[in-house]
Amino acid sequence: MSVISAIRLSHAPVAAFMIVGLFWGSMAALAPQLKAQIGADDATFGLLLLGTSIGLLTTMILAPMFDRALGQWALPVASIGLAVAFLFPGLATAPVLFFMAMIGAGLASGLLDVTMNARVSELEAAHKRPLMNANHGMFSVAYAIGAFGTGFGREAGMVPVAIFACVGILALLLATRTRMAVAVTEEDTVKTSAFPYAIVGLCGAVVLIAFMTEAAVESWSALHVERTLGGRAAEGAFGPTMLGITMAIGRFGGQAVADTWSDLTVIFWGAVCAATGAVIAAFAPTPLVAYIGFGTLGLGVSAIGPIGLAIVGRLVRPEIRTLAISRTAVIGFSGFFIAPAAMGLISQGFGLRTSFAAIGLLVCILFPLIGILRKRGA
């Protein structure tokens, strides 16, 4: 299925994916400025980002109920909530305030993440077509736009809250395009013995590794370019921008080959590419070489997370799809917040080069997981 037709078919969740991408792209490019604004060192800043995972874990309980209660209005309401929540990290001037703000951002982002992925899975089931990579590709496009625009905002002297407010205006405009009818399924009481924990756990691990890899570059590439390699603010912002661009290319490419390549084949070669990119970034002597590493990593890891979520949506019963995706998503999306904290701790002790090398080793865990999924018929 072509990328354009996939985007048209899933235009409502596409707008939601773009909202999330804009905010996290902006957040990545603002990392050095936010870190300085609250006066935190590498390890502390990484740990503070774990506040987002607390908010995210809450969505594991709230997202299915939120989705059922609001129905077609779930995406617009969650989008507006995210726009409001991201003002607070920009206002924070102390570590504790930043930590609390990130809890709110994680909660809002998690609600939107789970709901929009569930909508895509519903559309895939209804139309018998792969759509997940195209939607995640639009996230990457918006992520690159958010990071790139934020870099220019920083160069112009804009404070973080002003940048987040500008992104919020764009998000509110996109939110008007997110309303979508919800697929109706028969009510089902999910018994503990009937819930597909094995497939959720396996796919959750795949998504976790993919998103940890992505998050490492999102949160620390700007600092790596600016501090390790002596780049300016705009040069630092181009690190996450490069990630967003190549991830968009990779996800659109994944969408294009979805009908001819198996999911596990895409994951295998993506892991090889991502591990190579992490090593290049770790040992880069100049910002240009680092960009090549970030780009190679982004190209490789791009389709892995969406495929993990798509496998879950395809293999579980329709009436528990949102619940299964919410569990898988929480496992996977926690990588966005575990990775920055782990990167900060490793960087504090051994430097950012070692941190990026560790990401290359992390990606290699995907290879045995591919074998297990193949045995389960994924």
Side-chain angles (χ1 to χ4, degrees), residues 105-120:
L107 174 59
S109 183
L111 287 175
L112 187 53
D113 275 321
V114 170
T115 308
M116 68 193 189
N117 277 287
R119 292 292 179 276
V120 176

PDB file of all heavy atoms in Angstrom, residues 105-120:
ATOM      1  N   ALA A 105       3.381  15.662  31.662  1.00  0.00           N
ATOM      2  CA  ALA A 105       3.624  15.483  30.231  1.00  0.00           C
ATOM      3  C   ALA A 105       3.551  14.008  29.846  1.00  0.00           C
ATOM      4  O   ALA A 105       3.022  13.651  28.790  1.00  0.00           O
ATOM      5  CB  ALA A 105       4.984  16.068  29.853  1.00  0.00           C
ATOM      6  N   GLY A 106       4.074  13.145  30.716  1.00  0.00           N
ATOM      7  CA  GLY A 106       4.028  11.713  30.442  1.00  0.00           C
ATOM      8  C   GLY A 106       2.611  11.174  30.443  1.00  0.00           C
ATOM      9  O   GLY A 106       2.246  10.338  29.604  1.00  0.00           O
ATOM     10  N   LEU A 107       1.795  11.651  31.381  1.00  0.00           N
ATOM     11  CA  LEU A 107       0.400  11.220  31.448  1.00  0.00           C
ATOM     12  C   LEU A 107      -0.355  11.636  30.186  1.00  0.00           C
ATOM     13  O   LEU A 107      -1.047  10.825  29.553  1.00  0.00           O
ATOM     14  CB  LEU A 107      -0.271  11.816  32.685  1.00  0.00           C
ATOM     15  CG  LEU A 107      -1.778  11.571  32.837  1.00  0.00           C
ATOM     16  CD1 LEU A 107      -2.081  10.080  32.878  1.00  0.00           C
ATOM     17  CD2 LEU A 107      -2.311  12.262  34.087  1.00  0.00           C
ATOM     18  N   ALA A 108      -0.220  12.896  29.814  1.00  0.00           N
ATOM     19  CA  ALA A 108      -0.924  13.403  28.637  1.00  0.00           C
ATOM     20  C   ALA A 108      -0.438  12.718  27.361  1.00  0.00           C
ATOM     21  O   ALA A 108      -1.229  12.333  26.494  1.00  0.00           O
ATOM     22  CB  ALA A 108      -0.745  14.917  28.529  1.00  0.00           C
ATOM     23  N   SER A 109       0.877  12.556  27.249  1.00  0.00           N
ATOM     24  CA  SER A 109       1.441  11.915  26.061  1.00  0.00           C
ATOM     25  C   SER A 109       1.020  10.454  25.986  1.00  0.00           C
ATOM     26  O   SER A 109       0.695   9.938  24.903  1.00  0.00           O
ATOM     27  CB  SER A 109       2.968  12.027  26.088  1.00  0.00           C
ATOM     28  OG  SER A 109       3.539  11.474  24.922  1.00  0.00           O
ATOM     29  N   GLY A 110       1.002   9.775  27.125  1.00  0.00           N
ATOM     30  CA  GLY A 110       0.616   8.365  27.144  1.00  0.00           C
ATOM     31  C   GLY A 110      -0.822   8.147  26.718  1.00  0.00           C
ATOM     32  O   GLY A 110      -1.130   7.209  25.970  1.00  0.00           O
ATOM     33  N   LEU A 111      -1.733   8.997  27.197  1.00  0.00           N
ATOM     34  CA  LEU A 111      -3.136   8.875  26.799  1.00  0.00           C
ATOM     35  C   LEU A 111      -3.299   9.010  25.288  1.00  0.00           C
ATOM     36  O   LEU A 111      -4.023   8.243  24.644  1.00  0.00           O
ATOM     37  CB  LEU A 111      -3.987   9.937  27.505  1.00  0.00           C
ATOM     38  CG  LEU A 111      -4.260   9.733  28.993  1.00  0.00           C
ATOM     39  CD1 LEU A 111      -5.015  10.922  29.559  1.00  0.00           C
ATOM     40  CD2 LEU A 111      -5.054   8.447  29.233  1.00  0.00           C
ATOM     41  N   LEU A 112      -2.601  10.000  24.726  1.00  0.00           N
ATOM     42  CA  LEU A 112      -2.700  10.212  23.287  1.00  0.00           C
ATOM     43  C   LEU A 112      -2.012   9.092  22.518  1.00  0.00           C
ATOM     44  O   LEU A 112      -2.523   8.603  21.502  1.00  0.00           O
ATOM     45  CB  LEU A 112      -2.102  11.573  22.921  1.00  0.00           C
ATOM     46  CG  LEU A 112      -2.275  12.029  21.464  1.00  0.00           C
ATOM     47  CD1 LEU A 112      -3.735  11.975  21.035  1.00  0.00           C
ATOM     48  CD2 LEU A 112      -1.727  13.440  21.286  1.00  0.00           C
ATOM     49  N   ASP A 113      -0.844   8.637  23.006  1.00  0.00           N
ATOM     50  CA  ASP A 113      -0.105   7.562  22.356  1.00  0.00           C
ATOM     51  C   ASP A 113      -0.943   6.292  22.232  1.00  0.00           C
ATOM     52  O   ASP A 113      -1.061   5.700  21.155  1.00  0.00           O
ATOM     53  CB  ASP A 113       1.179   7.243  23.139  1.00  0.00           C
ATOM     54  CG  ASP A 113       2.333   8.138  22.749  1.00  0.00           C
ATOM     55  OD1 ASP A 113       2.463   8.437  21.561  1.00  0.00           O
ATOM     56  OD2 ASP A 113       3.110   8.530  23.641  1.00  0.00           O
ATOM     57  N   VAL A 114      -1.491   5.848  23.349  1.00  0.00           N
ATOM     58  CA  VAL A 114      -2.256   4.604  23.355  1.00  0.00           C
ATOM     59  C   VAL A 114      -3.489   4.722  22.470  1.00  0.00           C
ATOM     60  O   VAL A 114      -3.796   3.836  21.662  1.00  0.00           O
ATOM     61  CB  VAL A 114      -2.665   4.224  24.794  1.00  0.00           C
ATOM     62  CG1 VAL A 114      -3.660   3.066  24.780  1.00  0.00           C
ATOM     63  CG2 VAL A 114      -1.441   3.846  25.611  1.00  0.00           C
ATOM     64  N   THR A 115      -4.207   5.836  22.598  1.00  0.00           N
ATOM     65  CA  THR A 115      -5.451   6.009  21.841  1.00  0.00           C
ATOM     66  C   THR A 115      -5.201   6.067  20.345  1.00  0.00           C
ATOM     67  O   THR A 115      -5.912   5.435  19.552  1.00  0.00           O
ATOM     68  CB  THR A 115      -6.186   7.274  22.307  1.00  0.00           C
ATOM     69  OG1 THR A 115      -6.328   7.252  23.738  1.00  0.00           O
ATOM     70  CG2 THR A 115      -7.561   7.366  21.686  1.00  0.00           C
ATOM     71  N   MET A 116      -4.175   6.811  19.932  1.00  0.00           N
ATOM     72  CA  MET A 116      -3.940   6.949  18.486  1.00  0.00           C
ATOM     73  C   MET A 116      -3.447   5.636  17.885  1.00  0.00           C
ATOM     74  O   MET A 116      -3.800   5.297  16.744  1.00  0.00           O
ATOM     75  CB  MET A 116      -2.957   8.093  18.204  1.00  0.00           C
ATOM     76  CG  MET A 116      -1.532   7.891  18.658  1.00  0.00           C
ATOM     77  SD  MET A 116      -0.599   9.446  18.589  1.00  0.00           S
ATOM     78  CE  MET A 116       1.074   8.836  18.903  1.00  0.00           C
ATOM     79  N   ASN A 117      -2.640   4.861  18.621  1.00  0.00           N
ATOM     80  CA  ASN A 117      -2.204   3.564  18.110  1.00  0.00           C
ATOM     81  C   ASN A 117      -3.369   2.584  18.024  1.00  0.00           C
ATOM     82  O   ASN A 117      -3.438   1.772  17.094  1.00  0.00           O
ATOM     83  CB  ASN A 117      -1.082   2.996  18.989  1.00  0.00           C
ATOM     84  CG  ASN A 117       0.280   3.555  18.634  1.00  0.00           C
ATOM     85  OD1 ASN A 117       0.858   3.215  17.610  1.00  0.00           O
ATOM     86  ND2 ASN A 117       0.808   4.440  19.481  1.00  0.00           N
ATOM     87  N   ALA A 118      -4.291   2.657  18.983  1.00  0.00           N
ATOM     88  CA  ALA A 118      -5.476   1.805  18.932  1.00  0.00           C
ATOM     89  C   ALA A 118      -6.336   2.143  17.713  1.00  0.00           C
ATOM     90  O   ALA A 118      -6.879   1.249  17.048  1.00  0.00           O
ATOM     91  CB  ALA A 118      -6.285   1.961  20.215  1.00  0.00           C
ATOM     92  N   ARG A 119      -6.453   3.436  17.399  1.00  0.00           N
ATOM     93  CA  ARG A 119      -7.237   3.838  16.233  1.00  0.00           C
ATOM     94  C   ARG A 119      -6.616   3.299  14.937  1.00  0.00           C
ATOM     95  O   ARG A 119      -7.312   2.836  14.036  1.00  0.00           O
ATOM     96  CB  ARG A 119      -7.331   5.366  16.145  1.00  0.00           C
ATOM     97  CG  ARG A 119      -8.153   5.997  17.235  1.00  0.00           C
ATOM     98  CD  ARG A 119      -9.632   5.650  17.102  1.00  0.00           C
ATOM     99  NE  ARG A 119     -10.368   6.259  18.196  1.00  0.00           N
ATOM    100  CZ  ARG A 119     -10.492   5.721  19.422  1.00  0.00           C
ATOM    101  NH1 ARG A 119      -9.964   4.536  19.666  1.00  0.00           N
ATOM    102  NH2 ARG A 119     -11.163   6.331  20.360  1.00  0.00           N
ATOM    103  N   VAL A 120      -5.295   3.363  14.843  1.00  0.00           N
ATOM    104  CA  VAL A 120      -4.622   2.840  13.650  1.00  0.00           C
ATOM    105  C   VAL A 120      -4.845   1.337  13.542  1.00  0.00           C
ATOM    106  O   VAL A 120      -5.121   0.809  12.456  1.00  0.00           O
ATOM    107  CB  VAL A 120      -3.109   3.155  13.686  1.00  0.00           C
ATOM    108  CG1 VAL A 120      -2.401   2.518  12.494  1.00  0.00           C
ATOM    109  CG2 VAL A 120      -2.875   4.654  13.665  1.00  0.00           C
TER     110      VAL A 120
END
